[in-house]
Amino acid sequence: MLRFLLPIIFASTVLLAQPFKVHDTIAPFSLANQFDVKKSVGKNLKLLLVSFEKSTGAEVNEFLSKQPAGFLTQHQAAFIANISGMPMIITKMFALPKMRGYPHQILLIYDENDTRFMQKEGKTTLYKLNNGVIQDITFITKEQLPQVFN
């Protein structure tokens, strides 16, 4: 029995390790936010911003903090910060308390094995979606953030 299950387990692990590409469908998923509340991301999402670095996360947070309440919801958008490289003690003592002060929701990736999102050094990854299907993937700077929501 195990002999038959191992190839299936291996194949599913390999598939999960591949980053999303244009035309892939993102199945609904859940991540914890900065308040440790699980939030679901579904097919209604049109924009997905993903940050992998402290600096790019700070840029997105600065931009979003200046927007009106409900800005991400209004634009059918979500912001994800991959904090898997941060030591847990730093996360708990400093990062999460700071994130809880932001007026917008930040979904968090804690698992370093979560490689479904593409990254480029010094950039925020922007996924444009239509009914859960990735239409475009771009890597943006803080100067480009305002145009994303126009």
Side-chain angles (χ1 to χ4, degrees):
M1 178 73 164
L2 187 58
R3 189 174 78 184
F4 294 108
L5 289 177
L6 284 178
I8 293 169
I9 293 169
F10 178 74
S12 64
T13 303
V14 171
L15 288 174
L16 289 175
Q18 299 300 315
F20 290 128
K21 304 178 301 300
V22 173
H23 303 300
D24 283 355
T25 299
I26 297 180
F29 64 92
S30 295
L31 290 171
N33 67 11
Q34 70 264 42
F35 299 101
D36 202 29
V37 175
K38 285 275 188 189
K39 294 294 182 173
S40 295
V41 175
K43 289 187 173 194
N44 63 329
L45 207 62
K46 295 202 181 288
L47 299 170
L48 184 59
L49 294 162
V50 187
S51 170
F52 293 88
E53 301 168 20
K54 182 179 179 180
S55 60
T56 58
E59 293 167 355
V60 174
N61 284 319
E62 180 183 347
F63 172 79
L64 291 175
S65 293
K66 295 175 183 173
Q67 306 311 314
F71 181 79
L72 286 172
T73 303
Q74 175 189 353
H75 287 89
Q76 295 175 285
F79 173 46
I80 298 175
N82 185 323
I83 59 170
S84 64
M86 188 181 299
M88 192 53 71
I89 187 92
I90 302 297
T91 300
K92 298 260 185 216
M93 291 183 69
F94 302 105
L96 287 175
K98 183 175 182 175
M99 288 181 202
R100 289 182 184 124
Y102 290 121
H104 55 275
Q105 179 169 256
I106 308 167
L107 301 176
L108 303 171
I109 296 175
Y110 289 97
D111 184 359
E112 64 188 22
N113 295 315
D114 187 340
T115 58
R116 59 189 147 171
F117 300 106
M118 298 174 104
Q119 62 179 313
K120 188 173 187 180
E121 189 174 335
K123 307 275 182 150
T124 297
T125 309
L126 171 65
Y127 290 85
K128 291 184 180 178
L129 307 160
N130 184 8
N131 201 28
V133 178
I134 299 170
Q135 303 298 305
D136 189 39
I137 303 170
T138 53
F139 302 98
I140 62 170
T141 62
K142 68 179 181 177
E143 292 79 20
Q144 295 168 302
L145 277 167
Q147 292 85 27
V148 167
F149 296 97
N150 285 336

